[in-house]
Amino acid sequence: DGGITQSPKYLFRKEGQNVTLSCEQNLNHDAMYWYRQDPGQGLRLIYYSQIVNDFQKGDIAEGYSVSREKKESFPLTVTSAQKNPTAFYLCASSPDSNNQPQHFGDGTRLSIL
Amino acid sequence: AQSVTQLGSHVSVSEGALVLLRCNYSSSVPPYLFWYVQYPNQGLQLLLKYTTGATLVKGINGFEAEFKKSETSFHLTKPSAHMSDAAEYFCAVSGGYQKVTFGTGTKLQVIP
């Protein structure tokens, strides 16, 4: 079955450490997205990519970085510059970036040790 | 610019009762509207979408929503709540070249 795989399910970060969240899709979608979810705040867009080797900042990109070297993969790195990284991170994809419904992975929950 | 307002962060209904989750949107272009459902520790799943055409949209699990342009609303309904409907529901809007904007979510509790 086609879908989006996020790993790991749970991740712990030490102070000053960078961590990378994996997102892989086999839906042949062009567009991919990273969201951060905090209780009561809905989903906030971190980064998105409309095509391989191109990506744009979303609303809360500070302290995060991404790459899009392959169509199937869109990893997110939470850097030490992100002072409040504890959250639920969701990766999504859509056939293109224009008004299409998004397909979501099951998320990664990041916590600080 | 676009925005979504979901009225009520928590809604409780009795099993078998009508479910009504409210969503109002703002958009400067014709909107595309979506409802998603999220179960604990999972991603979002598309319930239904409105693009153009028929204003009453039917989705999965017996849910439906009606697009009312004059009221800028897209409320989600289900005639009879089931225990398995307990989850968080998100309304979302997109349009033109703008990225999708999600509401802050409504948690639905179903009381036996």
Side-chain angles (χ1 to χ4, degrees), chain A residues 9-10 33 35 37 40-43 45 48 50 88 90 97-107 109, chain B residues 32 34 36 38 41-46 49 51 88 90 94-100 102-105 107:
Chain A
K9 183 71 173 176
Y10 299 94
Y33 312 82
Y35 293 94
Q37 186 176 21
Q41 297 192 46
L43 277 68
L45 183 64
Y48 65 98
Q50 297 173 300
F88 191 51
L90 286 164
S97 60
N98 291 331
N99 307 314
Q100 298 285 331
Q102 295 180 11
H103 298 253
F104 285 81
D106 280 340
R109 189 167 297 281
Chain B
Y32 290 70
F34 310 90
Y36 291 86
Q38 184 181 33
N41 294 313
Q42 293 186 23
L44 278 67
Q45 178 184 3
L46 181 70
K49 63 180 179 181
T51 53
E88 190 161 17
F90 291 91
S94 67
Y97 292 100
Q98 298 197 59
K99 294 291 158 280
V100 65
F102 288 88
T104 53
K107 286 188 177 178

Side-chain angles (χ1 to χ4, degrees), chain A residues 5-33:
Chain A
T5 301
Q6 290 189 243
S7 61
K9 183 71 173 176
Y10 299 94
L11 188 58
F12 298 90
R13 195 192 88 170
K14 296 180 180 179
E15 294 288 341
Q17 185 181 47
N18 294 354
V19 292
T20 297
L21 285 60
S22 171
C23 177
E24 303 278 334
Q25 55 102 355
N26 60 4
L27 299 166
N28 199 33
H29 287 172
D30 285 324
M32 296 188 74
Y33 312 82

Side-chain angles (χ1 to χ4, degrees), chain B residues 67-95:
Chain B
F67 170 62
K68 291 187 177 180
K69 183 178 179 180
S70 61
E71 299 177 9
T72 61
S73 69
F74 191 57
H75 302 331
L76 182 71
T77 61
K78 182 174 180 178
S80 176
H82 191 273
M83 295 300 295
S84 61
D85 295 327
E88 190 161 17
Y89 293 80
F90 291 91
C91 182
V93 64
S94 67

Side-chain angles (χ1 to χ4, degrees), chain B:
Chain B
Q2 62 189 21
S3 65
V4 174
T5 301
Q6 291 186 239
L7 298 175
S9 58
H10 291 80
V11 170
S12 293
V13 300
S14 298
E15 190 175 16
L18 172 71
V19 176
L20 172 60
L21 304 182
R22 300 178 187 275
C23 173
N24 288 90
Y25 70 91
S26 172
S27 178
S28 57
V29 297
Y32 290 70
L33 295 158
F34 310 90
W35 274 101
Y36 291 86
V37 61
Q38 184 181 33
Y39 297 99
N41 294 313
Q42 293 186 23
L44 278 67
Q45 178 184 3
L46 181 70
L47 273 178
L48 49 81
K49 63 180 179 181
Y50 168 79
T51 53
T52 58
T55 57
L56 182 62
V57 180
K58 295 187 183 299
I60 63 172
N61 301 339
F63 285 93
E64 63 182 33
E66 187 172 10
F67 170 62
K68 291 187 177 180
K69 183 178 179 180
S70 61
E71 299 177 9
T72 61
S73 69
F74 191 57
H75 302 331
L76 182 71
T77 61
K78 182 174 180 178
S80 176
H82 191 273
M83 295 300 295
S84 61
D85 295 327
E88 190 161 17
Y89 293 80
F90 291 91
C91 182
V93 64
S94 67
Y97 292 100
Q98 298 197 59
K99 294 291 158 280
V100 65
T101 299
F102 288 88
T104 53
T106 297
K107 286 188 177 178
L108 176 66
Q109 179 186 23
V110 181
I111 303 168

